[in-house]
């Protein structure tokens, strides 16, 4: 078992109902697959207990990892503890791109050599008139955290996010497997009792 890497969870994803900047509709940062910096105050030990409980619940329901809405919600919270502030990086980046250049410029697609430095990273982009056509967003460590093209978004997980996700996967898989084995042992015991009713009676007396 493995958890799907969020690097590709929103590839070419088009969002609706969000604000627009520089002609670009922003990602939905409440989406379970779009992580942005959010520290909940929950300790790692508290998270571990929640992950174990979710794994047991999912195993009993016959679900695993991304098949479970509860898992996805918990994964978003757990990973977001170490996420870059994608909301701020993307929003600031598009605002900077909107300020640079004007309608007086030639309305042709510029090469991707326009770079705007942000408080927490940078944006590389192509722009036609007042609309951004393509953009790459980087955090303060130089890791690309998102890109925009053809009206869609791709979110890229950072090293810290990937490591955090793998930690959760390890805890969850161990608990899910233990619950599965316990369930199988219980079923085996019931099957043995049904096959040998006298043995079951002996255990009761």
């Amino acid at each position: 078992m493995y958890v799907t890497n969020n690097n590709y969870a929103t590839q070419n994803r088009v969002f609706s109902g969000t604000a627009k900047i520089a002609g670009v509709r922003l990602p939905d940062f409440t989406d379970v697959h779009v992580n942005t910096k959010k520290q909940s105050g929950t300790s790692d030990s508290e998270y571990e207990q929640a992950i174990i409980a979710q794994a047991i619940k999912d195993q009993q329901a016959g679900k695993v990892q991304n098949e479970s809405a509860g898992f996805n919600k918990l994964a978003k919270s757990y990973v977001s503890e170490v996420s870059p502030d994608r909301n701020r990086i993307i929003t600031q980046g598009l605002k900077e791109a909107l300020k640079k250049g004007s309608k007086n410029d030639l309305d042709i697609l510029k090469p991707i050599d326009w770079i705007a430095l942000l408080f927490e990273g940078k944006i590389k982009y192509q722009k036609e008139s007042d609309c951004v056509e393509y953009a790459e967003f980087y955090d303060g460590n130089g890791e690309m955290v998102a890109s925009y093209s053809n009206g869609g978004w791709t979110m890229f997980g950072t090293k810290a996010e990937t490591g955090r996700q793998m930690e959760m996967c390890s805890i969850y898989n161990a608990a899910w497997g233990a619950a599965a084995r316990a369930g199988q042992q219980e079923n085996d015991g019931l099957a043995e009792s049904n096959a040998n009713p006298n043995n079951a009676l002996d255990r009761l007396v």
Side-chain angles (χ1 to χ4, degrees):
M1 292 184 297
Y2 70 99
V3 62
T4 301
N5 195 321
N6 279 354
N7 287 8
Y8 309 104
T10 57
Q11 190 166 4
N12 298 322
R13 179 92 170 272
V14 178
F15 295 94
S16 61
T18 56
K20 276 187 175 183
I21 301 175
V24 175
R25 190 168 293 283
L26 296 175
D28 180 359
F29 293 102
T30 66
D31 187 286
V32 293
H33 297 299
V34 182
N35 296 329
T36 190
K37 185 177 182 180
K38 187 175 183 181
Q39 296 178 326
S40 66
T42 303
S43 69
D44 282 350
S45 61
E46 290 172 326
Y47 267 124
E48 182 174 357
Q49 293 305 311
I51 293 167
I52 292 170
Q54 186 65 51
I56 295 171
K57 180 179 179 181
D58 290 348
Q59 195 282 324
Q60 292 172 346
K63 296 182 179 180
V64 60
Q65 296 186 7
N66 292 342
E67 297 171 353
S68 164
F71 173 87
N72 289 332
K73 182 177 179 180
L74 183 57
K76 177 179 175 68
S77 179
Y78 188 71
V79 174
S80 291
E81 299 279 357
V82 299
S83 292
D85 194 343
R86 280 187 181 82
N87 191 337
R88 183 172 183 176
I89 292 171
I90 290 172
T91 301
Q92 280 192 343
L94 291 174
K95 287 180 178 178
E96 285 297 315
L98 182 61
K99 288 193 299 185
K100 294 182 181 296
S102 69
K103 290 181 179 179
N104 294 325
D105 292 332
L106 293 175
D107 288 337
I108 59 174
L109 196 64
K110 303 295 190 301
I112 188 165
D113 59 0
W114 289 16
I115 300 176
L117 296 178
L118 313 173
F119 180 74
E120 294 192 31
K122 66 182 178 181
I123 175 178
K124 296 181 181 179
Y125 62 95
Q126 293 173 323
K127 179 179 170 185
E128 185 174 6
S129 187
D130 283 338
C131 294
V132 170
E133 300 288 329
Y134 178 86
E136 297 174 356
F137 300 84
Y138 296 82
D139 68 7
N141 295 321
E143 293 185 70
M144 185 160 68
V145 299
S147 68
Y148 173 83
S149 64
N150 298 320
W153 286 92
T154 301
M155 301 295 150
F156 297 92
T158 64
K159 292 177 182 177
E161 288 175 305
T162 299
R164 183 88 166 167
Q165 196 174 48
M166 291 176 66
E167 289 173 4
M168 178 175 177
C169 183
S170 177
I171 297 167
Y172 179 96
N173 286 349
W176 197 100
R181 289 190 294 274
Q184 185 60 51
Q185 290 173 355
E186 183 177 349
N187 289 337
D188 290 345
L190 289 173
E192 182 182 352
S193 296
N194 290 335
N196 302 285
N198 290 333
N199 291 344
L201 181 61
D202 289 343
R203 287 195 294 270
L204 293 173
V205 295

